[in-house]
Amino acid sequence: MFDRLPTCHGSGRIIRHRRVIVLAWIVVAITLRWFAPAWRDIAADGDFDYLPVRMNSVAGDKMLREAFPGDRARSQIAIIVARDGPLLDDDKLVAADLSRRLNHHLAIATWKRLEGADSDLLTAEQRERSEKIISEALDRSIAADETFYERIAPKLSDDFQPSNTIPRLAVAYWDRGRWLEKIGADEQAIGQDFEAALLLAPEMATELPPPPQRPNPGWQNLIDLMSWDDPMIGGKMSTDQARLMLLQLSSELAATENIETVDVLSELLDDVRDTAQRYATEDLQIAMSGSAAIGGETLVAARDSIRYTESITVIMILLILCVVYRAPLLVAVPMISIGIAVVTATSLVSLLAADPARLAGGDPVWGLRIFTTSRIFIVVILFGAGTDYCLFLISRLREEAGGPGHWHDVCRRSLRGVVWALVGSALTTVIGLGMLGFADFGKFRWTGPVIAICLTIGLLVCLTLTPALLAMVGPKAFWPVSIARRQTSARGLMNTESDGTPGRGLWSWIAIRLTRYPLAWLLVGWAGLAVPGWYGWRHERDVTYDLGSELDPSSESRRGLRLLRQHFQIGEINPVTLLLNWEADRPREVTAAAVRDLTRYLYTRDEVVVVRNADDPLGDFPPDRQMGMFSGDAWRRRTLKSHRLAQGYFYSDVPKYDQRLVRLDVAVLGDPFDQQTADRVVRLRQDLDAYIKERDRSFPGGDVYLLGTTASLIDLQTVITRDNRVIKVAVVLAVLAVLLVVIRKWVLCLYLIATVLISYYATLGLTMLFFRNLYGVDYVGLDWKLPLFLFVILVAIGQDYNVYLVTRIAEEEQRGGWLAALRRAVSRTGGIITACGLVMAATFFSMTASAWLPSVLVFLGQDPGPVRNLRGIVELGFALGLGMLIDTFYVRTILVPSFIAATRHIAASRSRGKAVAVGD
């Protein structure tokens, strides 16, 4: 079949036009790289943004955007100042320093949005709220600055050198003066602020541009700030031992812009530690956490993993090629080929993902999106598979070099001899990964086809550019070994005698042993994988969706999360948002009464800690709490209703949703990322549906939507469970179809599928056992993305070596009987398949570099800089590397040859039996 491929008949044209082909690929790579945008500039991230629109949290999020237009919080960062004992007076100046800085950043970020490119789209209510945020934030910043200076002034030494932030925040006075000037405030107040600013920093009048024109990187998604020093809400954010500030962000928790926000906040906290904290007492802790902090650190860890993975991948491949070939040119040709393949593939994908519709915020015309972590898979798989393709071609070239003819004839025969195996091997990977396009989860749906496109380009490069380069280099490719000696070496490498039977050597010994006792080896081989395979199958769903668990326990956000758990209720900081929507328009008073009844019901549930609604914006006054009409609590409750955080928050004024939609915040017991919390929210959603149906008179046609981190994680888990089931079936059927086309023996094809399935489950089981023992008490399960990616990649790529071996057996059978053919095929392909397996395993293991390379650099006296370790990538890299080793040294070496030998023995025995019967 593959003899009809253009490459088979076109191998002569490839060699004949070798210079044109090399030049063409170089021009294509340079052109695409020149016009393609940088990967990091167009890479998207976030998980919840790519859930199907039918999911409850996604539909609710869409409704929330429509009902409450404008800026709204989608994630948050918590900054906590705490100690084990009561806070001292000197400790509070650290909290004051944080407050003055963060409130000033909030004011500038809001001001820039108010006068930004989209300012015309703001409603009058949104403008009024933004102006209120700016005024209050600047006032609080200056109030905190005055408090901070009062406490720090007695501690300043005579040789203290002031800066723009220590001991006074002069820029806040200057910006408030400009703001008061803009809104037409009293001229005396304006003059006082300008005078104070210039007294503190005289150069400010000439050097500082107006706030809307001032760069504000990292703060653009900051939309509000809830702080301990707000007189209305501060009581919920302070204890005797801790002070808390919550930054409300417009970005989803794993959005790429959170990387910059986490970076600038880390710099700010370091500055506070270097300045204000040195005036405080010892043992005071400052930490950052929250959903956006965890998401941002996760993305930064992914960025670090990419950086280390790419460099270690190249180094490992270079080392392996040097060991295998010990010939500089044979090392250079694959590296040049793969380098051009990587540049061409990634640049083309970047261009397709950066079409005008995508850049304008719409769906891409070509249906492609790329993600930060996608690049890891592309680089690793393309380098690994591309190197394998080159190794297969060069291995055949070494065999053919011992035959007659000109060098160009040798190159033609080599290309013609491997094209069938290469295309068949590549198709299993390309089509297998392409099956991810059937996923519901958007990141899976786009990542699989993108990798498949890149692999296709890699195959084209290896079938055209690589043989063209080898033809141009000539026999000196084997230097420093001469071609005559290389011919002898090639015969020795094949381990064959003159009659074509296997000779001496490791792979010849293995081939003979396997074919003498095939049933024994077959049983032993399957038994060796049975126990870890059963463990992997039994615990396949024991994964974690806790984003925080992906980070190292020593990371900033994990440390901050421990502090938050110690001093505050995590559920109150990150509540579940409850949307109720019903059909008929009804008076607001009737709606409020129904909401009060619902609130009473929610407080009867054990998993509910606090309910916040329009009557009780902070959840301080549950239904059973009594108060007098003129008591302090009653006054505070009335005042909270007019706070800016409650205005337009619980009821929608959009005509479409007026009188028919209400919003509540429900704090649920437990960490938002914990599976136990997710189980509680699932039960809550089910019971709320039943409650609404039971009280149809209060909520006619009512629908319930739950939003927030926990609700989105529940929907993510539902989608991933479905995708695991569907994609696994699709991948198995697709790879089986390719095997049937290539091998055309259905029993053998089914067996090959069975071998990669047992390899997958055994790899998964061994990986779980390894990390369970490595992490100890910190182990909460493998990353949720690992089982599906491991399955798809192992089933798809794991068949490469099986296809290469089986096609070589078929080729050798044309020269003689099946037994000699099997032995020759195992002997001749053993070394090259082992080298290819080591290359692929090494590239996958390079994904673990961020976990161990920094320690190696420190040991060597190098400074690795700040490195965040992403456990999910490390776990997947380890699992894929281990799986490739099992496929290379176990499945291909034992399970496949022993099965072929056993079935041929059985068939031969039956044939002999029939012959005897006929003779009788």
Side-chain angles (χ1 to χ4, degrees):
M1 172 186 174
F2 283 92
D3 290 337
R4 295 192 293 270
L5 286 171
T7 309
C8 293
H9 294 301
S11 58
R13 288 191 292 270
I14 291 174
I15 304 304
R16 188 163 53 250
H17 302 294
R18 54 195 177 277
R19 292 182 177 84
V20 175
I21 291 173
V22 172
L23 180 61
W25 275 113
I26 293 174
V27 170
V28 168
I30 293 175
T31 303
L32 288 175
R33 184 65 187 89
W34 179 268
F35 289 103
W39 189 281
R40 64 179 178 274
D41 294 338
I42 60 172
D45 265 296
D47 292 329
F48 304 151
D49 285 339
Y50 302 100
L51 290 171
V53 294
R54 69 176 184 274
M55 303 309 294
N56 183 277
S57 63
V58 178
D61 188 70
K62 180 177 181 293
M63 183 177 294
L64 190 65
R65 289 197 301 269
E66 294 175 352
F68 301 93
D71 293 326
R72 63 181 186 85
R74 301 189 66 196
S75 62
Q76 58 190 2
I77 294 179
I79 298 179
I80 182 171
V81 179
R83 66 163 56 253
D84 291 336
L87 290 174
L88 306 176
D89 288 342
D90 288 342
D91 299 334
K92 297 173 185 177
L93 67 85
V94 177
D97 191 15
L98 283 168
S99 177
R100 66 191 188 127
R101 296 171 190 252
L102 292 175
N103 273 293
H104 181 250
H105 284 300
L106 171 64
I108 302 305
T110 308
W111 195 342
K112 288 178 71 68
R113 281 193 299 272
L114 190 62
E115 299 188 12
D118 298 330
S119 60
D120 295 339
L121 302 178
L122 298 177
T123 64
E125 291 80 7
Q126 290 169 344
R127 284 186 170 276
E128 181 180 354
R129 185 175 185 274
S130 295
E131 292 173 356
K132 189 174 183 180
I133 288 176
I134 296 170
S135 297
E136 292 183 359
L138 288 171
D139 289 344
R140 283 201 300 271
S141 177
I142 291 175
D145 179 73
E146 293 171 348
T147 300
F148 176 77
Y149 182 69
E150 289 176 2
R151 295 184 179 277
I152 201 175
K155 301 177 181 293
L156 298 176
S157 60
D158 295 337
D159 58 349
F160 177 79
Q161 296 296 323
S163 67
N164 292 331
T165 56
I166 299 293
R168 308 304 301 269
L169 196 65
V171 66
Y173 291 89
W174 181 260
D175 287 338
R176 189 172 71 170
R178 282 186 173 273
W179 175 249
L180 294 176
E181 192 176 51
K182 177 178 174 59
I183 63 177
D186 180 66
E187 291 187 3
Q188 182 178 0
I190 297 172
Q192 289 175 348
D193 279 345
F194 281 148
E195 182 180 356
L198 294 175
L199 182 64
L200 295 168
E203 73 283 356
M204 194 170 297
T206 57
E207 296 183 0
L208 193 65
Q213 303 173 16
R214 197 180 304 161
N216 198 34
W219 303 102
Q220 65 273 6
N221 54 343
L222 176 61
I223 61 173
D224 213 333
L225 179 66
M226 302 173 64
S227 177
W228 60 274
D229 55 358
D230 187 312
M232 286 292 99
I233 66 175
K236 301 284 289 186
M237 313 188 74
S238 63
T239 67
D240 291 340
Q241 298 179 330
R243 296 288 186 271
L244 180 65
M245 304 184 77
L246 286 179
L247 284 70
Q248 305 291 327
L249 306 181
S250 59
S251 52
E252 193 251 319
L253 65 90
T256 50
E257 53 260 45
N258 287 347
I259 295 177
E260 200 170 26
T261 302
V262 169
D263 285 342
V264 296
L265 264 176
S266 297
E267 292 176 5
L268 186 147
L269 294 183
D270 288 340
D271 194 21
V272 170
R273 292 185 184 103
D274 291 340
T275 55
Q277 191 171 4
R278 64 181 174 180
Y279 296 107
T281 54
E282 295 181 356
D283 301 327
L284 183 67
Q285 299 182 72
I286 307 174
M288 168 177 60
S289 190
S291 57
I294 292 174
E297 276 204 278
T298 300
L299 293 175
V300 173
R303 182 183 62 188
D304 292 342
S305 296
I306 292 173
R307 176 162 53 93
Y308 280 109
T309 296
E310 291 182 348
S311 58
I312 293 299
T313 296
V314 174
I315 293 172
M316 284 187 169
I317 288 180
L318 273 173
L319 291 175
I320 292 175
L321 289 177
C322 289
V323 171
V324 170
Y325 290 130
R326 297 182 295 281
L329 292 176
L330 285 183
V331 173
V333 168
M335 295 305 298
I336 293 172
S337 301
I338 299 165
I340 289 179
V342 170
V343 171
T344 303
T346 55
S347 299
L348 177 61
V349 168
S350 295
L351 279 173
L352 294 177
D355 60 76
R358 168 71 176 87
L359 296 178
D363 289 331
V365 172
W366 301 104
L368 286 180
R369 289 184 187 272
I370 58 176
F371 305 96
T372 301
T373 50
S374 300
R375 187 174 177 87
I376 295 179
F377 295 109
I378 290 173
V379 170
V380 168
I381 293 177
L382 199 52
F383 262 96
T387 304
D388 284 357
Y389 300 153
C390 292
L391 286 173
F392 287 146
L393 178 59
I394 295 173
S395 173
R396 192 55 175 254
L397 183 68
R398 297 175 76 169
E399 292 186 29
E400 297 293 342
H406 189 271
W407 175 256
H408 293 167
D409 296 326
V410 171
C411 292
R412 291 189 190 97
R413 291 198 305 269
S414 302
L415 180 57
R416 191 178 297 115
V418 298
V419 65
W420 184 335
L422 288 185
V423 173
S425 299
L427 279 177
T428 62
T429 306
V430 170
I431 295 179
L433 288 168
M435 290 300 101
L436 282 171
F438 290 104
D440 267 350
F441 184 48
K443 293 185 79 170
F444 289 165
R445 187 169 62 252
W446 281 302
T447 297
V450 164
I451 300 175
I453 291 172
C454 294
L455 268 178
T456 302
I457 295 173
L459 176 65
L460 291 175
V461 169
C462 293
L463 290 179
T464 56
L465 177 62
T466 305
L469 287 172
L470 289 170
M472 289 177 60
V473 171
K476 58 180 175 291
F478 296 111
W479 182 87
V481 180
S482 66
I483 186 64
R485 183 179 172 189
R486 176 58 64 185
Q487 291 172 355
T488 303
S489 177
R491 287 192 294 269
L493 177 70
M494 289 184 279
N495 295 316
T496 57
E497 302 293 353
S498 59
D499 62 354
T501 59
R504 294 184 298 272
L506 174 62
W507 292 106
S508 298
W509 180 85
I510 291 175
I512 293 172
R513 292 296 181 275
L514 284 172
T515 52
R516 283 181 179 173
Y517 311 104
L519 283 175
W521 281 105
L522 188 64
L523 292 175
V524 169
W526 279 88
L529 295 180
V531 174
W534 175 85
Y535 186 84
W537 176 80
R538 179 70 175 81
H539 298 278
E540 186 177 15
R541 293 191 178 184
D542 294 351
V543 297
T544 178
Y545 290 81
D546 185 352
L547 297 183
S549 68
E550 287 201 48
L551 297 169
D552 192 88
S554 62
S555 65
E556 176 81 13
S557 56
R558 291 285 297 275
R559 191 168 61 88
L561 190 59
R562 290 192 291 270
L563 271 180
L564 283 173
R565 286 173 176 156
Q566 182 178 346
H567 297 284
F568 297 96
Q569 284 278 359
I570 299 293
E572 291 193 46
I573 297 172
N574 198 341
V576 175
T577 296
L578 168 63
L579 285 185
L580 288 174
N581 182 52
W582 50 85
E583 296 174 353
D585 292 341
R586 312 174 71 222
R588 181 65 60 85
E589 295 78 14
V590 176
T591 303
V595 171
R596 283 194 292 271
D597 290 341
L598 175 62
T599 301
R600 293 191 188 94
Y601 167 74
L602 289 171
Y603 270 113
T604 64
R605 312 217 19 123
D606 293 337
E607 66 266 21
V608 173
V609 178
V610 165
V611 179
R612 301 171 187 157
N613 55 34
D615 287 337
D616 186 11
L618 293 183
D620 286 342
F621 307 101
D624 59 352
R625 181 174 178 180
Q626 303 296 323
M627 67 189 76
M629 182 178 297
F630 301 104
S631 67
D633 283 345
W635 172 85
R636 181 168 172 269
R637 184 174 185 174
R638 288 192 295 270
T639 305
L640 281 172
K641 292 181 182 182
S642 61
H643 194 278
R644 78 169 195 279
L645 294 176
Q647 294 299 303
Y649 186 86
F650 296 102
Y651 291 104
S652 173
D653 294 326
V654 174
K656 178 182 177 181
Y657 295 103
D658 191 23
Q659 311 293 337
R660 54 185 291 260
L661 185 140
V662 66
R663 173 181 182 175
L664 295 84
D665 283 347
V666 181
V668 178
L669 185 67
D671 188 325
F673 293 102
D674 280 350
Q675 183 59 46
Q676 290 181 341
T677 307
D679 294 339
R680 296 185 186 109
V681 173
V682 169
R683 291 194 299 270
L684 179 63
R685 177 188 290 174
Q686 295 169 346
D687 293 345
L688 280 172
D689 286 334
Y691 175 87
I692 298 301
K693 291 177 182 178
E694 179 184 344
R695 290 164 174 76
D696 184 63
R697 195 172 298 175
S698 300
F699 302 97
D703 294 317
V704 179
Y705 301 92
L706 297 184
L707 292 79
T709 301
T710 306
S712 296
L713 285 174
I714 293 169
D715 285 345
L716 178 64
Q717 185 172 356
T718 302
V719 171
I720 298 304
T721 301
R722 179 265 177 196
D723 282 349
N724 269 281
R725 183 172 59 253
V726 172
I727 299 304
K728 285 179 179 178
V729 174
V731 169
V732 168
L733 292 178
V735 173
L736 178 60
V738 174
L739 291 177
L740 288 171
V741 172
V742 176
I743 300 174
R744 289 173 285 186
K745 296 179 181 179
W746 67 271
V747 174
L748 178 58
C749 293
L750 289 175
Y751 178 79
L752 294 180
I753 291 293
T755 61
V756 292
L757 290 178
I758 188 63
S759 173
Y760 159 73
Y761 283 112
T763 301
L764 185 63
L766 293 172
T767 301
M768 286 182 170
L769 291 171
F770 177 81
F771 284 103
R772 183 184 295 276
N773 287 279
L774 180 66
Y775 294 156
V777 295
D778 289 331
Y779 180 80
V780 293
L782 296 177
D783 180 62
W784 57 273
K785 297 181 288 296
L786 187 146
L788 185 58
F789 274 122
L790 180 65
F791 182 89
V792 173
I793 293 174
L794 281 189
V795 171
I797 296 181
Q799 293 294 1
D800 278 11
Y801 309 141
N802 292 338
V803 169
Y804 190 73
L805 174 60
V806 171
T807 54
R808 188 57 183 265
I809 293 172
E811 180 183 345
E812 294 292 339
E813 276 191 290
Q814 297 176 7
R815 299 174 51 191
W818 70 265
L819 182 59
L822 177 59
R823 288 176 174 176
R824 283 195 303 269
V826 171
S827 177
R828 292 186 173 187
T829 62
I832 188 60
I833 292 181
T834 299
C836 291
L838 288 174
V839 166
M840 188 63 77
T843 58
F844 284 135
F845 279 129
S846 69
M847 295 171 64
T848 69
S850 61
W852 52 266
L853 186 58
S855 300
V856 173
L857 293 176
V858 170
F859 178 78
L860 297 175
Q862 302 293 322
D863 181 14
V867 177
R868 294 174 173 90
N869 177 27
L870 194 61
R871 282 185 171 184
I873 292 179
V874 172
E875 292 167 0
L876 182 57
F878 175 87
L880 288 171
L882 176 62
M884 293 311 303
L885 292 179
I886 292 175
D887 278 340
T888 303
F889 292 99
Y890 205 91
V891 173
R892 184 266 310 173
T893 303
I894 299 175
L895 298 186
V896 174
S898 62
F899 175 80
I900 294 175
T903 54
R904 291 299 181 90
H905 272 302
I906 293 173
S909 299
R910 288 178 177 176
S911 297
R912 286 194 298 270
K914 290 180 180 179
V916 171
V918 171
D920 292 341

